[in-house]
Amino acid sequence: MYRSGAVMAWNVFKFCTALRGLGSIMILLVLGVVGVTYYAVVITNYGPGLAAGGLDSLIAFVVLILFHLLLVMLLWSYFSVVFTDPGSVPPNWRTTLDEERGDTDPLTSVEFPVDSENGRIRICRKCNNLKPPRCHHCSVCGRCVLKMDHHCVWVVNCVGALNYKYFLLFLFYTFLETTLVTLSLLQHFIAFFSDKEIPGTPGTLATTFLAFVLNLAFALSVMGFLIMHISLVAANTTTIEAYEKKTTPKWRYDLGRKRNFEQVFGMDKMYWFIPAYSEEDLRRIPALQGLEYPSKPDLDAQEF
């Protein structure tokens, strides 16, 4: 058993090292897909359609407006996830109970997962620091992340308390954009299999074909991922927590769909669809800071 565990740890380490190496390659890949799509939709097909006149011009205008609007929101959300720190444990952080009592040693608290061997608040064995509620260590980033959901290679960052909303918006706008592109290029894609002569150079035709296939694939895959995360938000849980508590019928942080939603998106409706929070929401909802989470009193003993 010991040897098997050592082999598993070694494989995970190599996997994490490989993920670090991807880095800017994934960002360039995302921008490459955006570039191919932009060329196919705007430059090749619908841009020239503006000068066609009549209904074709109107359709082209609507498609281009929606395309650019969704593209701006997609890229804004994407780079917000990439460049926003998901949240780390502050230096010399202590529990609320410790601060109120003035203690310097960690105390056993129902708010924290307790180590069954020493009866103390859980401490990260890799960071050697206290772990706040819902905090997990990321082997790729090499640190503990507040309310960690997962490490995403597409954004080259961890998805945690401070950028989870931005990640969800990125999924949302990616799904809308790829669906719009798929529907917009569908007639052009079908034309490839007809006997009619298709206008355009081999390069523009190949770009249109590639853009349709890529966007269809992303739309289908992102749809499934988006549905999964909507269910996680509704239950106020994360991907890691969903795996850890799969045998637990009740979840201490599940406060109802409305409050669960507000702990991710805030209460200010004007900010729900943009990757930002209002100052008032940051002040009145501690969960958005990633260190304190309201829970059900009758389930406070759950060890998560």
Side-chain angles (χ1 to χ4, degrees):
M1 291 294 291
Y2 178 78
R3 182 177 180 182
S4 175
V7 172
M8 179 180 294
W10 181 81
N11 287 337
V12 169
F13 175 77
K14 292 199 69 175
F15 178 68
C16 294
T17 303
L19 288 181
R20 293 191 195 102
L22 287 175
S24 58
I25 297 177
M26 298 306 296
I27 297 179
L28 293 176
L29 179 59
V30 171
L31 294 179
V33 173
V34 171
V36 169
T37 301
Y38 192 91
Y39 186 83
V41 174
V42 179
I43 306 299
T44 302
N45 293 290
Y46 286 91
L50 289 174
L55 182 60
D56 290 340
S57 292
L58 178 61
I59 294 176
F61 178 77
V62 172
V63 169
L64 290 175
I65 290 295
L66 291 176
F67 177 85
H68 284 93
L69 176 62
L70 292 175
L71 181 61
V72 168
M73 297 307 299
L74 186 159
L75 291 177
W76 184 11
S77 301
Y78 177 71
F79 285 109
S80 294
V81 185
V82 172
F83 293 115
T84 300
D85 191 300
S88 56
V89 183
N92 302 320
W93 177 84
R94 294 189 301 163
T95 73
T96 302
L97 290 181
D98 289 344
E99 294 174 348
E100 291 177 350
R101 297 179 51 164
D103 295 338
T104 56
D105 295 327
L107 299 174
T108 300
S109 167
V110 294
E111 287 195 40
F112 289 82
V114 178
D115 190 326
S116 59
E117 295 180 0
N118 56 33
R120 288 176 177 266
I121 295 170
R122 144 182 106 151
I123 297 178
C124 179
R125 297 180 180 179
K126 297 181 180 180
C127 298
N128 198 30
N129 292 323
L130 287 173
K131 297 178 73 173
R134 317 183 74 178
C135 179
H136 292 83
H137 186 89
C138 176
S139 298
V140 181
C141 295
R143 60 173 175 146
C144 284
V145 176
L146 300 179
K147 195 186 175 185
M148 178 180 174
D149 187 88
H150 69 289
H151 186 92
C152 181
V153 296
W154 289 101
V155 301
V156 201
N157 196 5
C158 268
V159 177
L162 305 187
N163 64 355
Y164 185 50
K165 172 189 174 182
Y166 309 160
F167 175 75
L168 294 177
L169 290 176
F170 168 58
L171 292 181
F172 176 67
Y173 289 119
T174 298
F175 173 69
L176 293 182
E177 179 79 325
T178 54
T179 300
L180 173 66
V181 172
T182 301
L183 295 176
S184 300
L185 297 181
L186 179 59
Q187 59 176 335
H188 303 283
F189 179 77
I190 295 176
F192 282 106
F193 304 96
S194 66
D195 296 330
K196 297 180 181 179
E197 183 177 351
I198 307 175
T201 66
T204 58
L205 295 178
T207 304
T208 299
F209 186 92
L210 179 61
F212 176 85
V213 173
L214 286 175
N215 280 272
L216 176 60
F218 277 113
L220 294 176
S221 59
V222 170
M223 179 179 64
F225 208 41
L226 184 60
I227 292 174
M228 182 192 78
H229 278 280
I230 289 175
S231 67
L232 293 178
V233 171
N236 199 0
T237 186
T238 66
T239 302
I240 294 177
E241 291 169 346
Y243 175 79
E244 290 180 340
K245 70 181 182 66
K246 57 186 177 182
T247 58
T248 304
K250 296 182 179 180
W251 179 229
R252 61 178 294 192
Y253 297 111
D254 186 357
L255 307 176
R257 293 182 179 179
K258 182 177 183 294
R259 293 189 63 188
N260 294 346
F261 178 86
E262 291 174 348
Q263 286 194 25
V264 176
F265 286 86
M267 300 174 67
D268 195 332
K269 297 179 181 179
M270 292 183 62
Y271 285 80
W272 280 358
F273 295 99
I274 63 174
Y277 290 105
S278 67
E279 292 184 4
E280 186 176 1
D281 272 350
L282 292 174
R283 178 183 54 81
R284 64 186 172 184
I285 306 178
L288 298 180
Q289 304 292 344
L291 291 171
E292 300 178 18
Y293 297 93
S295 59
K296 296 179 179 178
D298 57 325
L299 297 175
D300 276 345
Q302 277 187 354
E303 297 187 359
F304 288 101

